Each structure stands twice: as structure tokens, then as C-alpha cells.
Amino acid sequence: MPHRDESESAVHVALLGGTTASTARTLPFEHREHAERVAAQWAQDHNRPASVEDWSRQRWQQFGPGGLSAIRLTVPARLRVFAMGPRSWAPDGRELRTWISDFEGWSWAWEFETDSYTDQPVVERIKYRPGASALTEVSARGTDEGAVRAAFARACAEAQRTCGQSPYRDLWEAARSR
């Protein structure tokens, strides 16, 4: 039996959220069955298109994010995560409401979805958004709904207290004075 050159074997690329590599998130796998399993489940979770393409290792190394070290040998973890927010406050203390401000709910998240996945009971975030809006933004997510609700309430109170301390407040004040 001839020896197969490892550099010539295929990389099985799951295309998530689009039908081409330029419109989808690309996730490379060593084993086709892993790529197919993730693509099928991701499509079901998100109600968006997903498929699998075979790429040469050379193509992945040249165009794939992370190069050959990004190729997954196993199926990534997937958990149900409860999330709340984001909510935002301007430096003057006004809460800015958007269609997503009151978001709360359970959804499936994969470990490669770093903005939504966690295996922790709760992860809260208070962040000063850069730019002239100088918003202080709060969100929380985790595997324990009660812990997420409590952390989100604490984080909202903290954001209301500290929104005037945004390091971008000078940009906000300059934009308001125009």
C-alpha cells in the first residue's frame, strides 16, 4: 500500500452561516464525520445554512485562520447557556434601550462561539465601549439561570454607578457640544 503524504490529506472545513468560505465562519476538522456532525447541529441550532467542504492542507494553511494548528481532532463542546443583555448607559446615566436590551433566554452555544459559550455558572461583563457614544455595556451568561440573573442585576447597578467614569467621556462630551 503506498504511503499517503500527510501534507496531501484533506482538511474538512465546516462552513457555518453561509454557503462559501467568504460568507461563512470556517471551522477545520481532521475527520469528515466531525465536520458533518458540527455543521448539521449548528445549522439546526441557528436556523442558518451550514455545509462541509474538503480543502487541501496547503489551501487551509494559506487561507484558513490559524493555519494547520487550528485543525480540530475532536468535536467541540456544546452547552445550553442562559444569557441576559446587553444593556447600556451613557456617561450622564441615561439608560439607552434597544431591541436587544431586554434579551434573556437559553440557547445552544459551541466552544468556538466565544461571545456566547461558557461552561461556568456565570460570566458577567461590564465594558466601556470606545468612541463618542462612550457607552458602559453590561451582559451576563452562564449555565445557572439564577446566578446569571443575580450577576446581571449587580452588573447593571455597577454600570449605573460608574458610567460617568468612562475613559471615552471626553469624546462623548465633544460630540454633544457640536
Side-chain angles (χ1 to χ4, degrees), residues 141-161:
R141 66 183 191 274
T143 58
D144 179 328
E145 181 177 346
V148 171
R149 288 184 182 282
F152 187 70
R154 283 190 308 271
C156 285
E158 175 72 14
Q160 288 173 313
R161 220 175 19 262

Side-chain angles (χ1 to χ4, degrees), residues 5 7 16 21 31 42 52 54 56 67 79 96 107 118-119 130 172 174:
D5 183 355
S7 66
L16 308 176
H31 305 288
W42 191 93
V52 175
D54 290 337
S56 70
L79 290 173
L96 299 171
S107 62
T118 183
D119 60 359
W172 175 78

Side-chain angles (χ1 to χ4, degrees), residues 34-46:
H34 293 167
E36 289 174 347
R37 186 167 145 200
V38 169
Q41 188 62 63
W42 191 93
Q44 184 178 353
D45 291 348
H46 296 281

Side-chain angles (χ1 to χ4, degrees), residues 2-160:
H3 172 47
R4 183 174 177 181
D5 183 355
E6 186 64 23
S7 66
E8 294 303 314
S9 64
V11 175
H12 311 286
V13 181
L15 303 177
L16 308 176
T19 55
T20 66
S22 63
T23 62
R25 173 186 209 140
T26 56
L27 202 62
F29 290 90
E30 183 72 28
H31 305 288
R32 184 169 185 83
E33 61 272 14
H34 293 167
E36 289 174 347
R37 186 167 145 200
V38 169
Q41 188 62 63
W42 191 93
Q44 184 178 353
D45 291 348
H46 296 281
N47 196 28
R48 297 192 55 213
S51 60
V52 175
E53 289 184 355
D54 290 337
W55 290 22
S56 70
R57 286 187 180 274
Q58 181 179 359
R59 179 180 176 197
W60 181 261
Q61 187 167 10
Q62 187 173 1
F63 299 109
L68 295 178
S69 64
I71 298 172
R72 296 174 175 269
L73 302 176
T74 62
V75 172
R78 174 179 170 263
L79 290 173
R80 278 182 34 102
V81 176
F82 186 78
M84 296 183 74
R87 286 204 184 146
S88 302
W89 286 265
D92 63 1
R94 285 179 302 117
E95 183 177 359
L96 299 171
R97 306 293 286 199
T98 66
W99 64 274
I100 200 165
S101 296
D102 295 322
F103 174 80
E104 62 178 65
W106 288 96
S107 62
W108 288 102
W110 294 84
E111 71 179 281
F112 56 83
E113 296 174 307
T114 56
D115 288 344
S116 55
Y117 178 85
T118 183
D119 60 359
Q120 301 297 305
V122 66
V123 175
E124 67 185 72
R125 185 186 77 179
I126 301 174
K127 181 178 181 179
Y128 293 119
R129 301 297 264 169
S133 67
L135 295 176
T136 303
E137 185 180 88
V138 173
S139 63
R141 66 183 191 274
T143 58
D144 179 328
E145 181 177 346
V148 171
R149 288 184 182 282
F152 187 70
R154 283 190 308 271
C156 285
E158 175 72 14
Q160 288 173 313

